[in-house]
């Protein structure tokens, strides 16, 4: 029988996320469009817009004395009161991300898909490509799949890219908006590059099994290799006296404002390899669906993490449903923490 072409199918979602005490606020709009062509061919396109504002911790610890920090732009300073978490209240960004993928059968038992992704922020650009192939076995009750993705990210942080473990710079007192994040002159930009890059390679292989008409599960293994600039250019660590534990003060400069104590920009390794094992099961119970998953991740930074999630979909009438969602996550610290 000939298949009919269908029109576009659109889905939208709006998310608000907020933290108290004027911390990070996020308003996110998601649009997903899908077109079904003949012979089970699909074109899917997505758009995400995130607007983020608020204050974000800079990485330093609270102390018994007031602490002064230079803003990422290198133009101004801000001060945290004794006992408070050091927070930079100038954090704001807008992120726009787009995705596109094409999926189609390849013969009777194979299916392939290929896609691309891109996202842009004020100080970050992502571009990526991905591909996936799957094959059905056992009267289509078993599906084996494999996927590959590559990405190149470019970082152009406000105030340029700081060298790892370099000291927080002085503020030159210029206009915060005059160079759009290019950084201050003189001592402010010394030893800093304008931008840097990060490359990511991801590979996943998995199996999905239909056990009965009411139960199915899947198991996936994934490998990820990241290389390049893996630091957060806005995070710092505080230097303290090895005996007293007090923060090490900085002698004031008569010409420039600057940090009150010794703060170093964080420095992570320039490569990270991750291995993940993921399992998920779905069980149908007369209209209700229980969805449980578990993920274990380990990497060469000596981080081990466990994620357990559960969803319970409860129908409300013929066209609506409620779905409580519970998520538990825990991880160990990195070897360099």
């Amino acid at each position: 029988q000939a298949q009919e072409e269908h029109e576009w199918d659109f889905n939208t979602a709006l998310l608000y996320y907020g933290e108290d005490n004027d911390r990070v606020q996020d308003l996110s709009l998601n649009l997903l469009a899908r077109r079904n062509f003949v012979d089970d061919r699909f074109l899917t396109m997505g758009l995400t817009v995130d607007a983020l504002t608020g204050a974000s911790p800079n990485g330093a610890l609270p102390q018994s004395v007031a602490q002064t920090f230079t803003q990422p732009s290198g133009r101004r300073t801000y001060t945290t009161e004794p006992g408070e978490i050091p927070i930079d209240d100038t954090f704001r960004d807008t992120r726009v991300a787009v995705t596109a993928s094409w999926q189609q059968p390849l013969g009777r038992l194979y299916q392939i898909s290929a896609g691309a992704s891109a996202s842009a922020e004020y100080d970050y650009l992502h571009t990526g490509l991905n591909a996936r192939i799957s094959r059905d076995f056992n009267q289509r009750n078993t599906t084996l799949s494999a996927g590959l993705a590559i990405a190149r990210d470019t970082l152009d942080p406000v105030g340029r890219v700081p060298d790892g473990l370099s000291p927080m710079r002085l503020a030159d007192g210029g206009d915060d908006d005059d160079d759009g994040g290019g950084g201050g002159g003189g001592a402010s930009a010394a030893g800093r590059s304008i931008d840097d890059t990060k490359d990511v390679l991801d590979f996943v292989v998995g199996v999905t099994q239909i056990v009965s008409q009411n139960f199915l599960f899947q198991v996936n293994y994934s490998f990820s290799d990241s290389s390049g600039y893996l630091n957060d250019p806005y995070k710092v660590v505080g230097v303290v006296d090895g005996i007293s534990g007090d923060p090490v003060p900085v002698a004031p400069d008569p010409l420039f404002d600057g940090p009150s104590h010794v703060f170093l920009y964080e420095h992570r390794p320039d490569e990270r390899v991750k291995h993940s094992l993921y399992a998920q099961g779905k069980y149908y119970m007369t209209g209700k669906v229980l969805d449980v998953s578990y993920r274990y991740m380990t990497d060469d930074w000596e981080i081990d993490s466990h994620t357990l999630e559960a969803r319970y979909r409860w129908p409300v009438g013929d066209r609506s449903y409620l779905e409580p969602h519970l998520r538990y996550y825990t991880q160990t610290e990195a070897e360099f923490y």
Side-chain angles (χ1 to χ4, degrees):
Q1 297 180 353
Q3 296 185 9
E4 296 182 1
E5 287 196 36
H6 299 280
E7 298 297 327
W8 287 95
D9 179 42
F10 293 94
N11 286 277
T12 61
L14 184 66
L15 167 72
Y16 171 76
Y17 170 83
E19 299 179 1
D20 58 6
N21 298 323
D22 296 323
R23 296 275 286 270
V24 173
Q25 315 286 316
D26 177 24
L27 185 62
S28 178
L29 173 65
N30 292 269
L31 305 174
L32 185 68
R34 182 170 179 171
R35 176 67 185 271
N36 182 8
F37 295 87
V38 295
D39 300 327
D40 292 327
R41 290 170 166 82
F42 296 93
L43 174 64
T44 304
M45 295 188 295
L47 170 67
T48 300
V49 180
D50 283 311
L52 298 106
T53 59
S56 178
N58 66 9
L61 293 176
Q63 299 291 348
S64 59
V65 296
Q67 301 178 91
T68 300
F69 305 87
T70 304
Q71 291 180 347
S73 65
R75 304 300 196 183
R76 298 283 188 268
T77 61
Y78 62 95
T79 300
T80 298
E81 297 301 319
E84 293 186 359
I85 297 176
I87 291 178
D88 179 8
D89 61 4
T90 62
F91 172 72
R92 58 182 53 85
D93 205 349
T94 299
R95 171 179 173 265
V96 178
V98 294
T99 60
S101 66
W102 175 262
Q103 175 182 307
Q104 71 172 58
L106 185 64
R108 189 173 66 90
L109 298 175
Y110 287 90
Q111 190 175 80
I112 59 172
S113 65
S117 61
S119 67
E121 304 170 40
Y122 180 77
D123 56 358
Y124 199 96
L125 175 65
H126 159 83
T127 55
L129 298 172
N130 61 81
R132 179 179 180 273
I133 185 171
S134 64
R135 188 186 190 282
D136 293 331
F137 297 90
N138 187 24
Q139 298 180 336
R140 295 187 182 274
N141 288 317
T142 305
T143 302
L144 295 179
S145 62
L148 182 69
I150 56 174
R152 162 61 67 95
D153 297 349
T154 301
L155 299 89
D156 182 17
V158 175
R160 302 191 176 189
V161 181
D163 295 332
L165 298 183
S166 63
M168 178 174 282
R169 54 194 173 155
L170 301 174
D172 61 13
D175 185 353
D176 286 333
D177 301 322
D178 65 351
D179 62 359
S188 294
R192 290 169 172 245
S193 56
I194 296 177
D195 56 26
D196 213 328
T197 60
K198 176 177 67 175
D199 296 309
V200 182
L201 171 67
D202 291 310
F203 172 76
V204 61
V205 59
V207 57
T208 301
Q209 177 66 48
I210 298 176
V211 180
S212 69
Q213 67 178 22
N214 293 329
F215 179 63
L216 63 83
F217 73 89
Q218 67 169 324
V219 177
N220 292 340
Y221 163 77
S222 60
F223 169 87
S224 180
D225 182 279
S226 304
S227 60
Y229 188 80
L230 304 184
N231 296 340
D232 186 329
Y234 303 119
K235 299 299 184 183
V236 299
V237 294
V239 178
V240 298
D241 185 276
I243 299 177
S244 67
D246 296 328
V248 178
V250 172
D253 189 294
L255 300 179
F256 299 99
D257 290 332
S260 58
H261 300 84
V262 179
F263 302 108
L264 308 180
Y265 289 98
E266 74 163 23
H267 179 60
R268 305 177 186 177
D270 57 7
E271 188 167 0
R272 184 183 186 186
V273 175
K274 297 189 292 184
H275 303 272
S276 300
L277 188 63
Y278 175 83
Q280 180 185 27
K282 291 189 177 185
Y283 186 67
Y284 176 82
M285 300 170 289
T286 61
K288 306 175 185 67
V289 179
L290 177 63
D291 183 346
V292 178
S293 65
Y294 168 75
R295 178 177 181 267
Y296 170 72
M297 189 280 298
T298 185
D299 65 10
D300 57 357
W301 289 4
E302 296 187 6
I303 296 177
D304 295 314
S305 71
H306 304 269
T307 307
L308 181 63
E309 290 192 86
R311 291 179 170 89
Y312 189 68
R313 181 167 175 146
W314 189 295
V316 180
D318 295 331
R319 304 182 62 181
S320 304
Y321 66 89
L322 296 175
E323 188 176 89
H325 176 200
L326 180 65
R327 178 178 184 268
Y328 174 78
Y329 176 85
T330 181
Q331 76 167 56
T332 60
E333 72 236 24
E335 61 180 348
F336 49 83
Y337 176 76

